[in-house]
Amino acid sequence: TDLSFTEEQILTELEEHPERFSPNVILRPLYQQILLPALAYVGGGGELAYWLQLKSNFDYNEVHYPMLVRRSSLLWLDKGSTKKRASLQLGLSQLFEPIDELIAQFVKAQSNNELNLAEERENLKELFDSLLEKGSQISPDLKSSIEAERAKTIKSLEKVEAKMLRAEKRNQEQLVNKITQINDKVFPNGKLQERYDNVLPYYWRYGTDFFQALYQASDPMSKQFIILEEIS
């Protein structure tokens, strides 16, 4: 804006109109700790990362910096997702692997075709090693040219390998869709379920039993990621 203040003017403004000032995002934890001092702050990973950025503010203002305690996180897998996971024999830890890597891993395992071109890459390496040796005997200047051709050829081979994998994914569309659907439950819209989903659809579907299940499974002092699966 066009507003500007001298130091004297801003201090006068603060004295006469404190309601116009906000601690905002940078000073909010400091402000909170002054008004409601706490020994510890329990929060999720994102919240603690936010607090960790601000320790120097506490040191500078000589305000007690609370102990940071990471709370446990919860994931709810409904009956459909649980059945899909079981049918795929998908391990719980695999739920957190990058989706593209997970799909590639399962597609390759289920495929009857050879999708790995490691042997071809090794053959190319030996071929270009031989070319380098022969070319260097003719002229040292040929080395950089042969190295460039090797890099281009390896890149082309990697593109072919990627196209083969994409084609096999289309062949195994049902498998890919199952893994994608499970991943969408774990990371809706690419975010952790607990940071994205609203609790109301769960309450509508399960009633107060849902809250009771969460309460019984929760341990605020645990650093583990808790997964609850609906099995009946």
Side-chain angles (χ1 to χ4, degrees):
T1 70
D2 296 331
L3 290 174
S4 62
F5 297 87
T6 64
E7 180 180 353
E8 183 180 358
Q9 287 172 329
I10 198 71
L11 291 175
T12 300
E13 186 77 9
L14 178 63
E15 183 68 30
E16 295 178 356
H17 300 285
E19 74 281 0
R20 295 178 182 175
F21 290 78
S22 167
N24 215 326
V25 67
I26 299 299
L27 293 179
R28 200 272 299 162
L30 183 73
Y31 189 60
Q32 171 182 318
Q33 190 67 359
I34 291 172
L35 291 178
L36 300 167
L39 180 63
Y41 180 83
V42 181
E47 295 163 307
L48 298 194
Y50 165 49
W51 276 75
L52 285 167
Q53 297 177 80
L54 306 176
K55 188 173 186 307
S56 59
N57 278 345
F58 285 80
D59 293 339
Y60 179 82
N61 289 282
E62 298 181 349
V63 175
H64 170 70
Y65 186 72
M67 290 183 289
L68 302 181
V69 180
R70 195 191 190 290
R71 62 166 172 77
S72 59
S73 291
L74 282 164
L75 167 67
W76 178 271
L77 286 181
D78 60 19
K79 191 186 302 181
S81 299
T82 300
K83 286 183 177 179
K84 289 187 184 80
R85 188 186 75 79
S87 69
L88 293 171
Q89 296 184 321
L90 182 66
L92 291 175
S93 62
Q94 290 178 293
L95 296 174
F96 301 94
E97 292 182 14
I99 181 64
D100 290 338
E101 294 179 16
L102 188 61
I103 288 175
Q105 176 186 334
F106 270 77
V107 166
K108 289 176 181 178
Q110 295 294 321
S111 177
N112 295 320
N113 302 305
E114 181 57 58
L115 303 175
N116 191 318
L117 299 182
E119 184 178 344
E120 286 76 8
R121 272 194 291 271
E122 187 60 32
N123 291 338
L124 275 176
K125 180 180 180 300
E126 292 177 5
L127 173 62
F128 275 96
D129 285 345
S130 176
L131 289 174
L132 277 170
E133 185 178 347
K134 292 179 179 179
S136 298
Q137 292 174 2
I138 298 170
S139 170
D141 296 336
L142 288 173
K143 181 179 179 181
S144 59
S145 177
I146 295 172
E147 289 282 11
E149 289 299 326
R150 189 213 309 249
K152 283 165 54 178
T153 306
I154 293 294
K155 196 71 176 175
S156 297
L157 194 63
E158 289 173 350
K159 288 180 180 178
V160 170
E161 189 176 45
K163 287 180 179 179
M164 290 169 61
L165 179 59
R166 283 198 296 272
E168 188 61 32
K169 285 179 182 178
R170 289 193 292 271
N171 293 338
Q172 299 190 44
E173 184 178 3
Q174 188 176 5
L175 170 67
V176 172
N177 287 341
K178 273 187 177 182
I179 296 173
T180 302
Q181 288 163 6
I182 295 172
N183 183 262
D184 288 342
K185 287 289 183 182
V186 179
F187 296 106
N189 204 28
K191 300 178 181 178
L192 275 178
Q193 186 189 76
E194 66 177 26
R195 296 182 66 85
Y196 183 82
D197 280 356
N198 189 290
V199 75
L200 290 180
Y202 295 91
Y203 176 54
W204 176 262
R205 182 174 179 180
Y206 302 108
T208 55
D209 288 346
F210 176 72
F211 299 111
Q212 189 62 28
L214 296 186
Y215 178 77
Q216 289 177 351
S218 295
D219 180 358
M221 296 299 119
S222 170
K223 297 179 177 63
Q224 295 181 330
F225 202 106
I226 300 168
I227 300 175
L228 299 177
E229 291 187 296
E230 183 186 9
I231 56 176
S232 63

